[in-house]
Amino acid sequence: MSEHTPLLTHRVCGLSVDTAVCGMGGSEGTGETSTPNVVPRKLNTFFGVIVPTVLSMFSIVLFLRTGFVVGHAGLLQGLVMLLVAYTIISLTILSICAISTNGAVQGGGAYFMISRSLGPEFGGSIGLMFFLAKVCACGVYVLGLVEALLDILGQEAASSTALRVLPQGYWYTVLYASIVLLIVLLVCLVGAHIFARTSCLILLVVTISLLSIYISPLALTTPLNFLITHQGPGNQTLTYNASYTGFNGTTLRDNLGSGYTVDYSTGKVMSFATVFAVMFTSCTGIMAGANMSGELKNPSVSIPKGTILAVLYTFIVYILLFVLASSTCERTLLVQDYGFFQRINIWPPFVTIGIYCSALSAAMCSLIGASRILHALALDQLFGLPLAPAAITSRSGNPWVAVLYTWGLTQCVVFAGQLNAIAGLVTVFYLLAYAAVDLACLALEWASAPNFRPTFQVFSWHTCLLGILSCLVMMFVINPVYSSASIILLLLLLLFLHYRSPTSSWGYISQALIFHQVRKYLLMLDVRKDHVKFWRPQVLLMVANPRSSCQLINFVNQLKKGGLFVLGHVKLGDLDTLPSDPVQQQYNFWLSLVDKLGVKAFVDLTLSLSVRQGTQHLLRITGLGGMKPNTLVLGFYDSCTPEDYFLQDPAFCESKGAGGDDFGVDLPSLQAHFPPVRHVESSRWLTPEEYVGIISDAIKMSKNVCLGRYFFQLQGECIGTKTDGADRTIDVWPLNLLRPGCATAASVDVCSLFLLQMACVLNMASRWRHARMRIFLCVEAESNDQGWLVKEETYRELLRKLRIRASIKIVPWDSVVQLYRRTQSQEPEGVTPALTLSEDFLSAVNSLLMENSAQAAVRFLYLPQPPAHSNQSQQYLSQLDAVTYGLGPTLLIHGLTPVTCTEL
């Protein structure tokens, strides 16, 4: 896969997308460029970027809304609006130029740049929003063209020279707009390259019209008076006297300030926000060239160069028009006749032709640009079946189905009936899209990725951030309701794509940003500043075969309390004898296992000649900085035949989740990768001596050690299980049961406190928060010194100081202690007491545990220090096996770390 490869076949609402059914050939569906269906690249900078951008930015505002802006806002506020608008788009242009010069830009323009920068979630949601903005803009241009037609041909036209042949009204406006839109559709179905050729002629006509507007005040030196009529409320006719004064200082002075009044087209009082919303539609064409990226010969060069030149040109034109209108026309003329340029032109048809050409070309440019975005969305299969037909193209590469989709939605927009009525919505959509482009560039800059090396260097994160803030501020200034609704729609689309779309090969900017931040904070996480108050378990769980260890994995996931959790595995082998490292190929399977289990764990694998040596490697090198394991968890070494968890959990059954994941690991492959569980007669991977050696190594390395036994019997730990542990009990035996001599002491050692802390941590987990915790104190009740009463009181005081809510159970074990002392008295001098325990004593300890903790969900026991000599390893394990035999889920813990604190 490459970044040009569309996303994997995606199911929406349970329906799968079959590209073959949609008429997409092999290359169409794969993004390859070796078939005749590939869109030809024919356009250069001038025809492909400058011309469509200039025409889109001139559009309706140039001829039909210049008087509207200057008349209501005045020259000063009008120039402020122009400056604010062009500042916003200039900042966005810097971001566009940076992104477009950082690699090859394919079809889809802004959508392609955002999606390949921010990933499919942001790209798809912003792309769809930008598509809707283009659709609404096309409707605005069509309605503006109809308005211009009715100013000349309408029966209620205000001009005295109007022909007055076309009936007027809401439905007639919709009808005329539909006819115009149909003409635009027919032109766009022919192809973008045909429009690009004719657009040059259109630009020439518009330029001649502009020149006539600039020249007319020089030719018309005498003042002109006009009588303007409008249909008012209640069918009354409103009449206004308006004047053209030519260049006049008094007229300029009168038009400097604002004079917001009623807009005769909508009947609403205008304000700075509403006027700015209409004026900003002239700035929504800056991506017209970027949207043609699929047809450009060299988009990385043409887009920045052509866009900057086009924006500079239009900025100068608008400033001159604002000054000209405010210097030559009274405010009444500007406010009551939006087509006043026709009245004051040396030959009015010049302006009429310019209006028709600019509006028609802007509508076609928007329709083509929107269809290209929709086509790119369909090729990437982000929204599945509903957009799948939009990927179909003609032999020449024209996405005609996407054009039909766009035409249908634009037809719905023209039912608004008035240009000014939807100008605010168009502006909000565009501002949101521009903010997204700035966000994409900002994220790339902040991520500091080495491959972000745009050839365009005139930008920084300051310009990106300022662009985002200015877009968001102006959105809410224009219309808070539209802005809030558009952001909510964007978030809903983002969530939909996050949960429904497959992983892409485009790269995720979030991963680069996370890496950048994690590295920074890891450097700040100083191990020299560790304090016991903020201690938390950071666990390395060694897993031989996940098939038999999933319950233990799930349990430890509850035990980590927001700390580090690493699944470790040692593959036996010698790299010198292998052609490549076999471990690297296994990571995807282990990570897929983590996803299936729903645990928050890392994976660390190593290759070693022995399990013990490999575990040493992992204990030393796993983690980074202050995030390194402090606790080693092992499964218990016994003769039990392990059970295959994959046969029990629904997540590993064929009926659910049998399809592949986002990284090419399907369920059969996952099951085949991990070998079947060990049988009774199967050879073991490590010897008792090696197992006990691992425990000893961890203790030497100052790591806490936990041994988990019978966790295959633990219920309710599967993903999706809802339980709060109200029916569960956690039993803690904080004394060394194999050394009754030490257990009778009143003092509490570090290991006992560690047991209490781990049990308390488990009690805080979501599935154990309401479990009851019991602490068992073994005492010699028949002794005469009554020391066990002191011991009980000591523990109660300790629990109070440690804020641990638990009940204390007193367990008499006089008979057990007597067996221990009898055994010790029979042993010769110099023999370690812990290794000379009789079977009767071990059986008595086991019976004690069974009698008091048989119903517990999990038990925490004290793990004795392992023997110093390897020849005693088997005996050590036999004692642990005898004590815990048949208990159920049990965790034997040997703690070395002080983890409790009674101070603030």
Side-chain angles (χ1 to χ4, degrees):
M1 295 178 67
S2 69
E3 69 171 15
H4 311 305
T5 306
L7 298 187
L8 303 173
T9 301
H10 175 53
R11 294 181 294 275
V12 177
C13 303
L15 299 173
S16 62
V17 180
D18 188 350
T19 55
V21 174
C22 300
M24 296 165 58
S27 65
E28 201 82 29
T30 60
E32 296 175 2
T33 57
S34 59
T35 68
N37 285 339
V38 175
V39 178
R41 295 178 176 269
K42 304 177 180 179
L43 305 180
N44 58 20
T45 301
F46 182 76
F47 288 103
V49 180
I50 295 179
V51 171
T53 302
V54 169
L55 290 176
S56 295
M57 297 186 71
F58 279 166
S59 64
I60 295 302
V61 175
L62 181 69
F63 294 107
L64 291 182
R65 289 298 182 268
T66 298
F68 169 83
V69 174
V70 177
H72 285 287
L75 177 61
L76 295 180
Q77 287 195 20
L79 292 177
V80 169
M81 290 181 184
L82 198 65
L83 186 62
V84 170
Y86 271 80
T87 298
I88 292 175
I89 65 172
S90 297
L91 294 172
T92 305
I93 288 171
L94 297 180
S95 300
I96 294 173
C97 295
I99 297 174
S100 63
T101 59
N102 190 53
V105 180
Q106 303 299 312
Y111 160 70
F112 183 90
M113 290 189 289
I114 296 172
S115 63
R116 269 51 176 184
S117 299
L118 298 183
E121 293 97 340
F122 278 99
S125 54
I126 291 295
L128 193 60
M129 296 291 288
F130 194 55
F131 165 75
L132 294 176
K134 278 286 182 185
V135 167
C136 293
C138 184
V140 165
Y141 302 144
V142 170
L143 290 172
L145 179 56
V146 171
E147 181 182 310
L149 286 171
L150 294 178
D151 283 344
I152 301 298
L153 304 175
Q155 292 178 350
E156 302 173 5
S159 175
S160 58
T161 60
L163 299 179
R164 295 187 172 87
V165 295
L166 294 179
Q168 290 184 247
Y170 169 77
W171 289 107
Y172 283 110
T173 300
V174 174
L175 175 63
Y176 304 147
S178 300
I179 294 172
V180 171
L181 187 59
L182 184 61
I183 295 173
V184 172
L185 170 67
L186 295 176
V187 174
C188 293
L189 287 176
V190 174
H193 61 284
I194 302 297
F195 164 70
R197 292 171 184 170
T198 58
S199 62
C200 186
L201 178 61
I202 294 174
L203 180 60
L204 179 61
V205 173
V206 172
T207 303
I208 294 173
S209 301
L210 274 174
L211 290 175
S212 71
I213 291 175
Y214 291 133
I215 294 173
S216 293
L218 301 177
L220 300 175
T221 56
T222 58
L224 300 174
N225 296 314
F226 306 102
L227 193 65
I228 302 173
T229 59
H230 292 304
Q231 196 70 29
N235 290 326
Q236 61 177 337
T237 301
L238 303 177
T239 304
Y240 302 91
N241 291 314
S243 300
Y244 163 79
T245 64
F247 287 107
N248 188 290
T250 303
T251 303
L252 177 62
R253 192 182 312 111
D254 293 340
N255 288 329
L256 286 178
S258 62
Y260 296 107
T261 184
V262 177
D263 171 26
Y264 70 80
S265 66
T266 61
K268 298 180 180 179
V269 178
M270 294 292 99
S271 64
F272 182 92
T274 54
V275 173
F276 180 82
V278 174
M279 194 278 299
F280 195 82
T281 57
S282 66
C283 303
T284 57
I286 61 171
M287 290 189 182
N291 292 332
M292 302 292 286
S293 58
E295 284 85 17
L296 296 174
K297 293 179 181 177
N298 193 347
S300 296
V301 174
S302 298
I303 290 175
K305 181 179 178 181
T307 303
I308 292 174
L309 290 176
V311 168
L312 287 175
Y313 173 64
T314 57
F315 183 62
I316 294 172
V317 168
Y318 276 117
I319 288 180
L320 293 177
L321 275 182
F322 279 23
V323 173
L324 185 147
S326 60
S327 303
T328 60
C329 301
E330 290 184 348
R331 190 182 298 273
T332 304
L333 178 60
L334 299 176
V335 170
Q336 299 302 330
D337 185 8
Y338 298 152
F340 74 98
F341 279 134
Q342 299 174 65
R343 296 179 182 268
I344 64 172
N345 199 275
I346 53 176
W347 191 52
F350 270 138
V351 179
T352 304
I353 295 172
I355 292 173
Y356 295 164
C357 289
S358 63
L360 199 62
S361 64
M364 287 189 289
C365 191
S366 294
L367 192 66
I368 290 176
S371 65
R372 294 313 187 264
I373 296 173
L374 189 65
H375 177 64
L377 284 167
L379 284 179
D380 289 336
Q381 302 177 12
L382 287 177
F383 293 94
L385 189 61
L387 296 187
I392 301 173
T393 62
S394 64
R395 291 184 178 180
S396 62
N398 186 28
W400 61 273
V401 177
V403 173
L404 291 176
Y405 267 65
T406 309
W407 167 78
L409 289 175
T410 309
Q411 182 62 56
C412 298
V413 173
V414 300
F415 280 99
Q418 289 292 340
L419 184 157
N420 290 3
I422 57 175
L425 181 62
V426 174
T427 301
V428 166
F429 275 156
Y430 270 105
L431 284 171
L432 188 59
Y434 294 165
V437 174
D438 290 323
L439 176 63
C441 189
L442 177 67
L444 289 170
E445 178 71 7
W446 274 355
S448 301
N451 282 321
F452 183 58
R453 299 188 298 270
T455 56
F456 183 86
Q457 293 290 328
V458 189
F459 78 101
S460 71
W461 70 266
H462 303 86
T463 61
C464 300
L465 186 60
L466 185 60
I468 295 171
L469 295 176
S470 57
C471 287
L472 293 177
V473 169
M474 290 313 301
M475 280 174 58
F476 284 92
V477 168
I478 291 168
N479 195 309
V481 177
Y482 286 165
S483 302
S484 302
S486 62
I487 292 175
I488 291 173
L489 177 60
L490 174 66
L491 293 176
L492 290 176
L493 289 172
L494 194 150
L495 290 174
F496 172 80
L497 290 175
H498 177 73
Y499 286 107
R500 302 288 293 182
S501 69
T503 301
S504 74
S505 59
W506 309 335
Y508 289 80
I509 190 63
S510 58
Q511 295 296 303
L513 289 172
I514 290 170
F515 177 88
H516 185 72
Q517 294 301 310
V518 167
R519 181 195 63 84
K520 181 172 70 175
Y521 286 115
L522 274 176
L523 289 172
M524 297 171 61
L525 190 61
D526 192 341
V527 294
R528 296 169 297 182
K529 298 178 182 179
D530 283 347
H531 193 279
V532 66
K533 288 190 294 187
F534 308 111
W535 180 91
R536 66 183 70 231
Q538 304 200 94
V539 182
L540 171 62
L541 171 60
M542 297 301 300
V543 179
N545 189 346
R547 287 181 175 271
S548 58
S549 306
C550 288
Q551 291 96 329
L552 183 57
I553 294 173
N554 285 321
F555 176 77
V556 175
N557 186 59
Q558 295 286 312
L559 197 62
K560 68 181 185 301
K561 187 54 181 174
L564 180 68
F565 181 22
V566 181
L567 299 182
H569 175 73
V570 179
K571 183 172 180 60
L572 297 179
D574 185 0
L575 191 59
D576 290 339
T577 62
L578 298 171
S580 62
D581 185 6
V583 167
Q584 300 303 319
Q585 305 166 7
Q586 298 186 17
Y587 269 98
N588 270 4
F589 294 98
W590 282 85
L591 292 173
S592 296
L593 172 74
V594 168
D595 294 337
K596 284 283 186 183
L597 292 174
V599 297
K600 298 177 180 179
F602 298 94
V603 173
D604 210 348
L605 313 178
T606 188
L607 181 70
S608 181
L609 296 174
S610 69
V611 176
R612 181 178 181 181
Q613 188 182 59
T615 305
Q616 289 179 6
H617 295 166
L618 293 177
L619 283 172
R620 292 184 185 280
I621 67 175
T622 295
L624 198 62
M627 293 193 68
K628 296 183 74 67
N630 55 32
T631 303
L632 174 67
V633 180
L634 303 171
F636 196 78
Y637 192 96
D638 57 19
S639 58
C640 293
T641 303
E643 296 187 16
D644 193 339
Y645 183 80
F646 284 9
L647 302 178
Q648 304 173 14
D649 193 328
F652 295 92
C653 296
E654 289 289 344
S655 59
K656 294 185 179 180
D661 66 5
D662 299 334
F663 300 93
V665 179
D666 56 16
L667 187 54
S669 299
L670 183 65
Q671 293 176 333
H673 175 75
F674 298 111
V677 296
R678 175 179 53 82
H679 297 289
V680 177
E681 62 274 8
S682 301
S683 59
R684 307 191 65 121
W685 288 12
L686 72 166
T687 63
E689 291 75 18
E690 194 172 12
Y691 180 83
V692 176
I694 292 173
I695 300 174
S696 299
D697 294 341
I699 293 174
K700 291 176 183 178
M701 298 167 70
S702 300
K703 308 294 183 183
N704 309 295
V705 179
C706 302
L707 308 181
R709 189 177 192 188
Y710 293 124
F711 275 91
F712 64 87
Q713 299 178 6
L714 185 62
Q715 303 298 322
E717 292 298 302
C718 300
I719 183 173
T721 302
K722 295 182 179 179
T723 178
D724 59 2
D727 57 342
R728 291 177 166 183
T729 303
I730 303 171
D731 284 357
V732 184
W733 297 76
L735 306 178
N736 189 347
L737 299 179
L738 298 184
R739 297 288 300 275
C742 298
T744 55
S747 61
V748 180
D749 62 8
V750 172
C751 186
S752 299
L753 291 175
F754 189 86
L755 257 73
L756 292 173
Q757 182 79 338
M758 294 297 281
C760 186
V761 167
L762 180 64
N763 207 184
M764 294 178 182
S766 58
R767 295 176 185 171
W768 296 83
R769 68 165 65 96
H770 291 147
R772 293 177 295 114
M773 189 161 70
R774 302 186 300 178
I775 299 177
F776 291 87
L777 296 184
C778 300
V779 300
E780 295 182 65
E782 298 176 0
S783 61
N784 297 324
D785 59 2
Q786 300 297 312
W788 62 273
L789 293 175
V790 177
K791 186 175 185 179
E792 179 184 4
E793 186 59 33
T794 301
Y795 259 90
R796 291 192 187 279
E797 181 66 16
L798 177 65
L799 295 181
R800 186 186 64 79
K801 290 182 178 179
L802 296 178
R803 291 88 60 203
I804 297 176
R805 288 177 293 181
S807 60
I808 296 180
K809 303 293 182 181
I810 303 299
V811 180
W813 68 334
D814 299 76
S815 59
V816 177
V817 174
Q818 290 174 6
L819 287 172
Y820 173 77
R821 290 171 178 167
R822 186 183 309 156
T823 302
Q824 299 307 308
S825 63
Q826 298 173 358
E827 291 298 328
E829 294 290 335
V831 178
T832 306
L835 299 178
T836 58
L837 303 176
S838 66
E839 292 185 6
D840 292 339
F841 169 73
L842 296 174
S843 177
V845 174
N846 179 256
S847 299
L848 184 72
L849 293 170
M850 291 288 291
E851 180 181 347
N852 291 278
S853 290
Q855 302 303 318
V858 65
R859 301 144 195 84
F860 287 77
L861 302 185
Y862 193 115
L863 176 66
Q865 181 88 14
H869 303 288
S870 60
N871 59 359
Q872 299 171 334
S873 299
Q874 183 63 62
Q875 188 178 3
Y876 176 74
L877 292 178
S878 299
Q879 293 173 1
L880 297 180
D881 177 73
V883 169
T884 59
Y885 183 78
L887 280 183
T890 302
L891 201 65
L892 293 142
I893 300 177
H894 188 88
L896 301 175
T897 308
V899 293
T900 57
C901 181
T902 59
E903 300 175 356
L904 286 177

